[in-house]
Amino acid sequence: MAIYEYVSPCHFGLEAVLKKEITELGFEIVQVEDGRVTYRADESAVARANTFLRTTERVLLLVAKFKAETFDELFEKTKALPWENFIPRDGKFWVAKATSIKSKLFSPSDIQSIMKKAVVERLKQKYHLDWFAETGASYPIRVTFMKDEVTIGIDTSGESLHKRGYRRLTSKAPLTETLAAALISLTPWKKDRVLVDPFCGSGTIPIEAAMMGLNIAPGRKRTFLAEQWGNLIAPEHFARAREEADDMVLRNVTLSIQGYDIDRDIVGAARQNAMLAGVDAQIHFQAKPVAQFSSPKKYGFIITNPPYGERLEEKAAMPELYREIGMAFAKLESWSYYIISGYEDAQKYIGRTADKNRKIYNGMMKTYFYQFLGPKPEKKRVEDGDRQREAQAIPKKDFGR
C-alpha cells in the first residue's frame, strides 16, 4: 500500500490539539508548524483522516516542498514534479487557492496562473497531449508560501471539513465546528460531566460536545472529493472508514449538556441543527439571558463564545454584558468556565483574572481563550461513600455462634 505525506491546516494556536488527534489515529507526525501539521501514513489515511479528524479544515495530499523566490524558479520547480503520479490523463486540475505570507512572491492570482501552466507543460510531455479534456475526477491544487518556502498539496476533502452537514441555520457570528471541537478538547470536560453554553447561538459548541461524548465521527455522514480518485485511493478505504465510524458510536450514553441564548429564534435553530446531527435527545436548549443562568449542580463546565463587540454599535454594550457574565459565573463557585472572546477588556469586567489565557486566531481575528479553573470534584470522598453504600447493601450472613 502506498505511503504518502499529508498536510492538515488548523487555526493558529491549536496545532497541539490537531497533532494529538493525528497521533491518536496512528499516523506518524513529520512536522508541526504554525497553522498546520504534516504527517505520514498509507493511502487509507485519506479516508480515516477525513472521517475522524475534528479540528482540521481539510486533508491535503502533499506533492512537494521547495523554495522559490522568482516566478521562473516557481515554474521550473513545479514543472519538474511528477504530476502524472497524481493526476490522470482525463483529470480536472486547477490551482484552487494560493496563500503567501512573508514571501517575495505574494500575488495569489499570478502564483495560480504560473503553477497551472507548469502542471500543464509537465502533463503534456508525459501524456503526449496538446489539450486536456479534464472530464474526469477533480484534483484541486493548493499552495502555501511561507518565507519563500512553497508547500504544494492536492485537496482530498472537497468542501471544508467544518461542514459536518448539520448546521443549516446559523447565528450572526458562529464558531466553525472545527474551532468549537478544538476548544472543547482544550478543556478537561468528559462525557460524564455537566457542560453548559449560555451563549449557544446556533448550537455549535453543545452539538460538537455531544458528538464527542457519543463518539460520533465528524465526517461519518458526508462524502469527500478523493472518493472519486480511483487512480490513487481504493474506494473500499472510505467504506471501511464509515463502518469503523458506525461501530464506534456509543448508543447507551446519556449526556448532561445545556445550551442557552437570549434569542428565542436562534435557540429554535439550534434545536433543528442538533436534530440534523442526531444529538437532539442529549441537549437541553432554552431561551434565557446569561444574567438568569444558575445551576443546582456543584460541579460543571461552561464553554462559551459570547459577543465580542466587533461591530462599532455593539461596543458600548460590552462592559455591562461582561459584568453580567462575571456575576452569573461567580455564583458557580466550583465550576470551571472557558470563554473565547476578542474583547480585550473581558477579564476586567468579568472581575477575575483567568488562570490560563491562550491566544487563538479565529480566521484573521485575534481572540483569547480565557480559562477560569474551578476545583476538582471530591472524587475520593464520592468513591468512599459509594463503597460504604455498597457494603451496607450486602446482606450479612449468619454463621451461628
Side-chain angles (χ1 to χ4, degrees), residues 33-80:
E33 304 166 90
D34 287 346
R36 66 186 182 190
V37 179
T38 304
Y39 47 105
R40 185 181 292 114
D42 63 32
E43 69 184 55
S44 70
V46 171
R48 296 187 71 235
N50 275 297
T51 301
F52 292 105
L53 291 179
R54 297 183 189 277
T55 62
T56 185
E57 297 296 321
R58 58 189 69 250
V59 176
L60 304 178
L61 178 61
L62 182 66
V63 176
K65 289 185 178 184
F66 55 76
K67 191 169 184 177
E69 297 182 352
T70 67
F71 283 118
D72 284 342
E73 191 177 10
L74 176 63
F75 180 88
E76 294 300 332
K77 288 185 176 180
T78 301
K79 183 183 172 185

Side-chain angles (χ1 to χ4, degrees), residues 133-200:
E134 298 193 51
T135 55
S138 295
Y139 298 80
I141 300 164
R142 286 179 169 251
V143 58
T144 301
F145 281 71
M146 174 65 77
K147 297 179 180 177
D148 301 319
E149 179 79 19
V150 185
T151 301
I152 303 172
I154 303 177
D155 180 17
T156 73
S157 304
E159 272 201 310
S160 172
L161 294 180
H162 81 265
K163 294 185 177 180
R164 322 286 206 215
Y166 66 76
R167 197 166 72 173
R168 306 289 172 82
L169 302 164
T170 65
S171 52
K172 283 190 292 187
L175 289 180
T176 63
E177 294 85 334
T178 48
L179 179 52
L183 297 180
I184 297 164
S185 297
L186 285 172
T187 77
W189 178 78
K190 304 295 181 189
K191 63 179 179 291
D192 59 342
R193 305 288 297 279
V194 177
L195 188 150
V196 178
D197 181 359
F199 295 92
C200 71

